[in-house]
């Protein structure tokens, strides 16, 4: 059986590299490429309607217009059984657990070798989770012996919702409320509300302290 793979990454050279990797496997075929979030959703929907949709979606975290985590949420809402393997250049601790909580079938750093990527695609296509040892360690830290850790034991940034974390990242990166509103297609008032929640949950007083918190926790995007 040939597995159809949709590659979603905004860098052409990365997509070309992944295509070369997948060409080494006779049972894998690239059925499409997306350079932004909306295209990833459009190609998946169109493929599903035609009966030639992806069996696995390779989805970059840092997608333009609509980021990878937003796309992941939409895909899992519309196609709950579709395996989505997240790709990232960010350290695992920034997004791995968050991605898995949103329904990702696995999280793979782009520094992984070609064999690991091929194995990961085959594994998630069979309905299994792909978890590297480093991600397994993060998951163990996020879950206590009796279940999920009590909120008081969680790192402050892990208490943020997905949207709050997006706003947190952008604020820490020096973006204004207006710029964030435009990027996330939200009203400035809504972004201000999220900003207030982020400051409260992280225990800082302003954007400067928020940026310092992000640096201290190594959470700034490259």
């Amino acid at each position: 059986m040939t597995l159809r793979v949709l590659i979603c990454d905004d860098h052409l050279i990365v997509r070309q590299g992944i295509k070369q990797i997948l060409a080494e496997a006779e049972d894998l075929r690239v059925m499409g490429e997306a350079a932004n979030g909306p295209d990833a959703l459009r190609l998946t929907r169109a493929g599903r309607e035609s009966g030639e949709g992806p069996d696995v979606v390779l989805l970059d975290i840092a997608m333009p217009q609509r980021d990878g985590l937003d796309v992941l949420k939409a895909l899992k809402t519309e196609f709950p059984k579709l395996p989505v393997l997240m790709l990232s250049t960010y350290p695992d601790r920034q997004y791995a657990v968050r991605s898995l909580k949103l329904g990702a079938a696995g999280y793979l750093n782009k520094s992984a070798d070609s064999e690991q990527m091929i194995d990961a695609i085959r594994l998630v296509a069979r309905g299994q989770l792909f978890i590297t040892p480093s991600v397994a360690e993060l998951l163990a830290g996020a879950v206590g012996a009796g279940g999920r850790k009590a909120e008081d034991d969680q790192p402050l940034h892990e208490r943020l919702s997905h949207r709050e974390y997006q706003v947190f990242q952008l604020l820490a990166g020096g973006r204004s409320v207006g710029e964030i509103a435009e990027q996330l297609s939200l009203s400035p008032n809504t972004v201000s509300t999220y900003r207030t929640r982020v400051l409260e949950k992280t225990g800082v007083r302003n954007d400067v302290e928020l940026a310092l918190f992000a640096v201290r926790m190594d959470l700034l995007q490259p």
Side-chain angles (χ1 to χ4, degrees), residues 98-189:
R98 196 171 291 270
S99 296
L100 293 169
K101 286 180 179 178
L102 288 173
Y107 185 93
L108 186 65
N109 198 283
K110 290 181 185 178
S111 62
D113 59 40
S114 58
E115 289 185 4
Q116 189 176 39
M117 177 174 288
I118 290 172
D119 288 344
I121 292 170
R122 290 171 175 160
L123 188 70
V124 300
R126 295 197 297 268
Q128 300 179 50
L129 279 176
F130 172 79
I131 300 176
T132 62
S134 62
V135 172
E137 195 172 316
L138 290 171
L139 282 173
V143 179
R148 185 172 176 172
K149 276 189 175 181
E151 185 169 294
D152 289 344
D153 295 331
Q154 286 181 279
L156 295 176
H157 62 277
E158 289 187 6
R159 302 180 190 180
L160 302 176
S161 69
H162 166 53
R163 184 65 83 184
E164 289 167 353
Y165 192 75
Q166 284 182 307
V167 172
F168 161 72
Q169 288 273 330
L170 294 169
L171 286 171
R175 300 290 184 89
S176 68
V177 167
E179 290 171 331
I180 295 171
E182 183 176 353
Q183 180 168 336
L184 299 182
S185 299
L186 299 171
S187 73
N189 284 341

Side-chain angles (χ1 to χ4, degrees), residues 17-103:
I18 293 175
K19 283 183 358 184
Q20 289 180 353
I21 290 172
L22 301 191
E24 300 173 5
E26 294 182 358
D27 59 331
L28 303 181
R29 175 173 69 84
V30 176
M31 56 75 61
E33 301 175 45
N36 57 58
D39 279 352
L41 292 170
R42 178 181 58 80
L43 289 172
T44 302
R45 290 165 180 157
R48 284 297 173 114
E49 289 176 2
S50 68
E52 289 293 319
D55 297 302
V56 176
V57 174
L58 292 181
L59 179 59
D60 185 22
I61 291 280
M63 294 287 281
Q65 299 183 38
R66 191 167 180 181
D67 78 24
L69 293 182
D70 265 348
V71 174
L72 171 63
K73 285 183 68 176
L75 287 175
K76 298 308 294 184
T77 298
E78 295 184 43
F79 313 106
K81 294 185 179 180
L82 175 63
V84 180
L85 182 61
M86 302 303 290
L87 300 175
S88 180
T89 56
Y90 303 132
D92 292 350
R93 63 182 173 276
Q94 286 193 21
Y95 287 105
V97 173
R98 196 171 291 270
S99 296
L100 293 169
K101 286 180 179 178
L102 288 173

